[in-house]
Amino acid sequence: HVQLVESGGGSVQAGGSLRLSCAASGSTSSGSEYCMGWFRQAPGKEREGIAAVDELGVTMYADFVKGRFAVSRDNTRNTLYLQLNNLKPEDTATYVCAARDTTWCSLASSRLYAYWGQGTQVTVS
């Protein structure tokens, strides 16, 4: 079982930046080699995948990211990061980190992820 705790959210003006962190503890059926990802959900909208990274550092991004966000992980610290740059008001949402029970990453569906954090709020004005 994996526990995930996010931090780093806040309120920023358009064009600003934030760095989100997600501290992980525990393990999955694949041990410590599992995919981790970031999702976000705005009020009245469906949860959408942002980015994911495997334990080797191989990343994938949703098309809407367009180079503004960067995902990374520090396996020595069991921490996942999401650097948010050039933020826009439409980026306002609750950002949630998640982990799969496999090393293979995908953003096809949030249902592929077994473990979820509580989320951290990002507000852009």
Side-chain angles (χ1 to χ4, degrees):
H1 190 76
V2 176
Q3 294 80 41
L4 304 170
V5 180
E6 302 94 337
S7 61
S11 297
V12 297
Q13 293 186 338
S17 299
L18 285 172
R19 189 191 194 202
L20 307 183
S21 299
C22 174
S25 59
S27 62
T28 71
S29 58
S30 60
S32 60
E33 299 178 347
Y34 50 86
C35 173
M36 297 184 74
W38 286 100
F39 291 76
R40 70 182 185 183
Q41 187 164 19
K45 295 186 177 181
E46 293 187 357
R47 180 173 290 180
E48 61 180 350
I50 303 170
V53 57
D54 68 15
E55 76 281 1
L56 297 179
V58 178
T59 60
M60 60 171 55
Y61 293 93
D63 290 341
F64 72 84
V65 170
K66 295 182 179 179
R68 295 190 298 126
F69 301 165
V71 65
S72 62
R73 67 192 281 176
D74 184 340
N75 293 330
T76 64
R77 296 174 184 265
N78 292 325
T79 302
L80 176 72
Y81 301 99
L82 184 65
Q83 178 68 41
L84 307 172
N85 298 320
N86 191 21
L87 283 162
K88 304 174 181 180
E90 52 264 41
D91 294 318
T92 295
T94 298
Y95 286 68
V96 188
C97 73
R100 295 195 68 189
D101 257 328
T102 173
T103 186
W104 302 107
C105 278
S106 173
L107 292 174
S109 172
S110 62
R111 289 175 290 180
L112 296 174
Y113 289 74
Y115 309 102
W116 293 85
Q118 293 298 309
T120 185
Q121 178 67 33
V122 172
T123 302
V124 186
S125 59

